[in-house]
Amino acid sequence: MTESYNPAALEPPIRERWEASNSFHAPDRPGADSYYCLSMFPYPSGHLHMGHMRNYTISDVITRFHRMNGRPVLQPMGWDAFGLPAENAAIARGVPPAKWTRDNIAQMRDQLKALGFAIDWDRELATCDPEYYRWNQWLFLKMLERGIAYKKTGTVNWDPVDRTVLANEQVIDGKGWRTGAVVEKREIPMYYLAITEYAEDLLAALDDLDGWPERVRAMQANWIGKSVGMEITFPYAGGRLKVFTTRPDTLMGATYMAVAPEHPLARAAAERCADVAEFVQSCSTGGVSEADLAAQEKRGIDTGYTVRHPLTGTDLPVWIANYVLMGYGEGAIMAVPGHDERDFEFANKYGLPIVQVVRPEADGHVYDATEWQDWYTAKENVRLVNSGAYDGLDYEAGFEAIARALEQKDMGARRTQFRLRDWGISRQRYWGCPIPIIHCDDCGDVPVPEQDLPVTLPEDLVPDGSGSPLARREAFLACECPRCGKPARRETDTMDTFVDSSWYFMRYPCADNGRAMVDERTNAWMPVDQYIGGIEHAILHLLYARFWTRVMNELGLVEVREPFANLLTQGMVLAETWYREDESGRRTWFNPSDVEVERDARGRIESARLVADGKPVHFGGVEKMAKSKNNGVDPAALVAHYGADTIRLFSMFAAPPEQSLEWSEAGVEGAWRFLKRMWQNVHDHVAAGTPGAPATAGLSDPALEMRRRVHETIAKVGDDFGRRYTFNTAIAAVMECSNHLARFEVGSDTDLAIAREGWEALVRLIAPVTPHIAQALWQALGHEDDILAAGWPEIDEAALLQNKITVVVQVNGKVRGRIEAAPGASRDALQEQALAEENVARFVADREIRKIIVVPDKLVNIVVKT
RNA sequence: GCCGGGGUGGCGGAACUGGUAGACGCGCCGGACUCAAAAUCCGGUUCUGGAAACAGAGUGCGGGUUCGAUUCCCGCCCCCGGCACCA
């Protein structure tokens, strides 16, 4: 053992040893106690960033902890390899997306390996491999057969200059990112997956996902958005206008109708009237994202049409409103401005009538039609007013009475509506999985026969930002119709990359199977025991994966319906930002590693300057690591400087996994110092000689105390790793115990044996976090085996017993003293001892004691009259 | 705009079931070693007062429940994530 800690020399041979002995291989048939630990696979951008590093360290700690506890573990890795950034790189640099992506994968694989993750690399996969995406295509065809996949039109962002479809992130302030042209909404045919058929099941099953964070379940439930209400018909001369409402009880308060700009009635009105046509046209500019739509100012126009109220027969005007969404419900609403905030705002803006039909039972609520108040939407303890025969009914009774009246007249039906929309998977892009469809003039859209899969994506194309290059590649386009044999054209749309990520976790166990999508090995490992990834995937990816797993289950491919038993959503990685501003207010951002900070005597930041020129820079706050703020820290560079263990240690220590993590160079230094100290301490301990067998009887008080601390730490760390996933507190406990052990004075062979037991425990406790140094120290302590096989240290319950406990004494809830007591001391004894304590007695003095609360082994609170 | 989360010393964070607020680490202050510096080691460090003992205040802001609230309830402010074609 060398005297000083030298990770650069120490880490690589240990990784080679793991690789040579195939240490992280997962068996095909693992048995009942198997543990599948999965991280969200990365998009191969070329550089491993801190978010990845954090994500994979979390799962590596969990993986290694379970391995040390003797369970068969699968920790795989793969690449989410299709997507927009590869096309952007192609546009910027002229490199084919395929080459760019594969080069990036090679580079990132090396970076991952340098971090020492216990990954079974034999199961690696990339979604851009034809052997992977052929099963996307295959399952898509199965979905077509079952009617789960179907075709309809959808709205996209259209750049009129590049003549191409834009992603939402490519639309900036309603304009195209490259051309600056005002983006238009366009309707195009697309393939959809009927996830709404599964809405009820996806929602109900959330209740059983008790291994998921409550907030993720809440977000998914809100996303699915189940509403129980009614579809109500408003007849007019030319037909019937249908709306969906969750508040049929307020029907008597409906004063106008509002339809989406894309609604057939709006189109009809636009044909009759130029002003209406202009309004509808003006609604077709700007992006399609919900955030854009929801944030825009409410605007509308009267169509001139009227419909009849189904119960009163009154004529109601039909307006077109930009806040009504064609994709939800019927694309039309009955506006009840008295009790819906959006309708209220709209009615006030356009001078439409507002009628109050609900009033609270309690007094003191005055309705004001010019100012919105929260109680207007109340459903509890309210009564109907201004509603004719329905006056005086509460919400439930009003709902029921009006629902019956409508049903009798055949003007309404009870219905459950979901906010969730079907999943549009068509993308007008090149770098994705081709949709296996052939267009024939005679036969229409014909599925590619199963034996012709995969439809392979040509890999030599370079997109230029205007339209899909596939549409210009004749060799790809030209084909024969599988049904009639005539010349036909291939579909050029590719699939949403969320398709790729909806089942990759089921492919890892059987990644080498060329004949089937999944096999019995998938069933052997699924479900995933622990899934770890960013909170930003809480809704879409996780919902699509749950849906896709259900479909595979119904096709008899897998036994599970829910893919992820436990979910851990990690927080973002942040760093300080530093900038200078020029005269025009433009900011130049400097990397935190190039900035030197001066502090005052209290440790507060006083000033900061750039190391390069010594001139001042300004603090721009702590923000998510991003290129735009130049505050990214490259994990690969840090590994080269400190070694993998230090980086792993800091990123697990600085914050609990669910919270955001603030990167700090000084904090990394602290982690480095701890490892150096631990190395030195173990070195000194080994140099002191080899102890005999550990004794547990006849120990001195300090030895008993030391041993108690060690076993308390074993218990604490096991609980933190196995149950709480608070790696920061586990590491803090190891540090604390290590500090005590370093100070523990060894005066006898018995003491040396206690110290040996302590160091052997601590080295194993820290091993999941810092596996390289732990392996080296384990060997230094005289063991030849792999520390993963050494097993988790066992707790000696007898060592945990204490003969004295500190009990806090409060007077009126304020701590006034502490007493030492035997564990399990009686209430009376504690009370007596507490009152005798000097400072306590001072505060109690001769005041009247009202009561005394005793929490055994913890606290005594004496309540006195003041 | 809608949905979800967060706010504790100079900083990252701890306090797990309502029971000692600030574990552990960083930074800072003082000391040792050194010709000096770095590294390392030792001590101190929520704020205010006090030499100390100790006292008062204190977990974004305002209120409430309780013997006791960072923790539970109500109202507000600020920051962050998602919003269906970024992944």
Side-chain angles (χ1 to χ4, degrees), chain A residues 477-690:
Chain A
L477 284 175
C479 59
E480 283 177 3
C481 171
R483 208 163 281 168
C484 68
K486 284 189 195 154
R489 316 290 280 173
R490 237 177 243 293
E491 169 71 46
T492 57
D493 279 1
T494 54
M495 293 186 196
D496 180 4
T497 56
F498 276 126
V499 171
D500 309 324
S501 56
S502 287
W503 68 281
Y504 73 104
F505 43 87
M506 294 194 266
R507 182 69 183 172
Y508 282 133
C510 58
D512 60 0
N513 191 332
R515 297 172 316 284
M517 186 174 191
V518 289
D519 61 33
E520 70 281 2
R521 291 173 290 176
T522 302
N523 281 332
W525 281 105
M526 288 295 289
V528 171
D529 290 280
Q530 184 64 57
Y531 196 28
I532 302 144
I535 182 69
E536 65 272 24
H537 296 290
I539 296 174
L540 292 179
H541 161 59
L542 291 170
L543 194 62
Y544 291 148
R546 294 179 65 217
F547 158 69
W548 196 277
T549 304
R550 280 165 167 70
V551 173
M552 285 180 66
N553 169 268
E554 284 167 17
L555 288 166
L557 296 168
V558 291
E559 286 164 9
V560 289
R561 263 180 98 73
E562 280 295 343
F564 314 120
N566 295 288
L567 175 70
L568 179 66
T569 51
Q570 79 184 15
M572 297 178 307
V573 183
L574 319 175
E576 293 172 342
T577 60
W578 299 95
Y579 69 93
R580 277 183 198 151
E581 218 164 46
D582 65 17
E583 307 78 47
S584 62
R586 200 198 328 244
R587 288 180 176 187
T588 310
W589 298 90
F590 299 100
N591 196 271
S593 61
D594 300 327
V595 174
E596 202 172 51
V597 178
E598 307 244 320
R599 291 169 193 278
D600 66 10
R602 275 263 168 72
R604 279 184 286 239
I605 294 177
E606 212 162 42
S607 65
R609 54 207 169 89
L610 199 62
V611 176
D613 61 12
K615 290 179 187 154
V617 289
H618 302 287
F619 183 55
V622 174
E623 301 218 34
K624 181 178 176 171
M625 281 191 185
K627 266 189 196 146
S628 61
K629 295 282 173 75
N630 190 18
N631 64 339
V633 178
D634 179 17
L638 286 166
V639 170
H641 191 254
Y642 293 99
D645 284 340
T646 293
I647 311 311
R648 294 171 56 120
L649 180 63
F650 173 73
S651 64
M652 291 301 96
F653 177 62
E658 304 240 55
Q659 283 178 37
S660 57
L661 179 152
E662 194 177 316
W663 199 262
S664 147
E665 189 76 30
V668 176
E669 289 280 350
W672 162 254
R673 281 202 286 269
F674 170 70
L675 292 182
K676 267 203 292 194
R677 260 200 313 276
M678 183 135 176
W679 182 276
Q680 188 66 48
N681 290 335
V682 173
H683 177 270
D684 293 350
H685 166 74
V686 169
T690 307

Side-chain angles (χ1 to χ4, degrees), chain A residues 76 112 124 238 245 296 336 338 347 358 379 442 447 450 459 507 530 604 612 617 619 640 698 722 748 790:
Chain A
L112 281 177
E124 181 183 359
T245 179
Q296 70 191 0
V336 183
V358 176
K379 294 203 296 200
D442 295 341
E450 208 175 291
E459 296 205 348
R507 182 69 183 172
Q530 184 64 57
R604 279 184 286 239
V617 289
F619 183 55
S748 67

Side-chain angles (χ1 to χ4, degrees), chain A residues 296-318:
Chain A
Q296 70 191 0
E297 198 199 344
K298 289 177 186 51
R299 295 187 302 128
I301 193 166
D302 192 346
T303 59
Y305 294 116
T306 57
V307 294
R308 278 200 310 284
H309 192 287
L311 296 183
T312 65
T314 317
D315 282 340
L316 298 172
V318 178

Side-chain angles (χ1 to χ4, degrees), chain A residues 63-107:
Chain A
T63 292
R64 286 174 180 272
F65 174 73
H66 285 294
R67 274 189 185 271
M68 289 182 76
N69 279 283
R71 297 178 71 172
V73 172
L74 168 60
Q75 179 173 236
M77 185 52 69
W79 310 97
D80 189 11
F82 277 137
L84 208 48
E87 298 199 20
N88 292 342
I91 293 168
R93 276 170 259 169
V95 199
K99 177 172 168 35
W100 184 82
T101 302
R102 290 184 208 285
D103 288 351
N104 286 349
I105 287 174
Q107 188 170 333

Side-chain angles (χ1 to χ4, degrees), chain A residues 185-480:
Chain A
K185 296 190 186 83
R186 202 170 250 223
E187 300 280 316
I188 59 167
M190 303 207 292
Y191 282 95
Y192 281 83
L193 304 184
I195 190 172
T196 52
E197 297 290 316
Y198 294 78
E200 192 78 60
D201 180 33
L202 288 167
L203 180 67
L206 286 174
D207 288 342
D208 302 323
L209 284 178
D210 40 16
W212 283 37
E214 192 52 50
R215 61 169 161 159
V216 175
R217 292 197 272 172
M219 279 192 260
Q220 290 219 345
N222 286 329
W223 187 258
I224 294 167
K226 181 177 179 176
S227 302
V228 178
M230 284 199 88
E231 180 186 288
I232 303 180
T233 301
F234 291 74
Y236 60 98
R240 295 152 77 88
L241 177 64
K242 281 188 179 175
V243 305
F244 174 79
T245 179
T246 57
R247 295 295 303 270
D249 59 308
T250 63
L251 179 57
M252 295 308 190
T255 58
Y256 67 98
M257 312 300 292
V259 300
E262 300 85 10
H263 193 275
L265 218 51
R267 290 179 186 211
E271 276 172 30
R272 288 202 325 188
C273 168
D275 285 352
V276 174
E278 196 185 327
F279 176 81
V280 169
Q281 177 61 33
S282 76
C283 291
S284 74
T285 60
V288 299
S289 82
E290 188 185 300
D292 286 347
L293 297 175
Q296 70 191 0
E297 198 199 344
K298 289 177 186 51
R299 295 187 302 128
I301 193 166
D302 192 346
T303 59
Y305 294 116
T306 57
V307 294
R308 278 200 310 284
H309 192 287
L311 296 183
T312 65
T314 317
D315 282 340
L316 298 172
V318 178
W319 282 62
I320 301 170
N322 66 348
Y323 69 93
V324 180
L325 302 176
M326 194 60 214
Y328 184 78
E330 301 291 332
I333 59 157
M334 65 173 206
V336 183
H339 303 282
D340 180 285
E341 194 167 2
R342 290 159 307 177
D343 299 344
F344 182 87
E345 190 188 326
F346 191 84
N348 267 307
K349 178 169 179 179
Y350 291 105
L352 292 155
I354 297 170
V355 178
Q356 179 193 7
V357 291
V358 176
R359 77 165 170 78
E361 285 169 343
D363 293 336
H365 297 280
V366 179
Y367 196 91
D368 178 351
T370 62
E371 195 183 344
W372 178 261
Q373 298 174 65
D374 285 341
W375 64 261
Y376 293 177
T377 53
K379 294 203 296 200
E380 274 164 28
N381 304 318
V382 292
R383 299 283 164 177
L384 288 177
V385 292
N386 299 323
S387 294
Y390 308 105
D391 278 358
L393 297 178
D394 66 11
Y395 165 70
E396 284 84 9
F399 188 120
E400 198 52 37
I402 289 175
R404 285 225 187 98
L406 289 168
E407 281 163 350
Q408 273 167 17
K409 292 181 136 191
D410 197 23
M411 287 290 180
R414 286 166 217 257
R415 208 174 87 187
T416 300
Q417 175 72 37
F418 292 94
R419 204 185 78 93
L420 181 69
R421 309 200 291 259
D422 276 346
W423 175 14
I425 59 156
S426 295
R427 296 290 179 271
Q428 298 69 45
R429 313 211 176 280
Y430 158 58
W431 191 235
C433 167
I435 294 176
I437 292 288
I438 289 166
H439 301 289
C440 170
D441 287 342
D442 295 341
C443 309
D445 297 349
V446 182
V448 172
E450 208 175 291
Q451 67 271 18
D452 294 344
L453 296 181
V455 175
T456 311
L457 189 72
E459 296 205 348
D460 57 337
L461 297 178
V462 184
D464 60 7
S466 60
S468 169
L470 284 179
R472 301 189 290 258
R473 173 59 66 99
E474 192 55 32
F476 176 80
L477 284 175
C479 59
E480 283 177 3

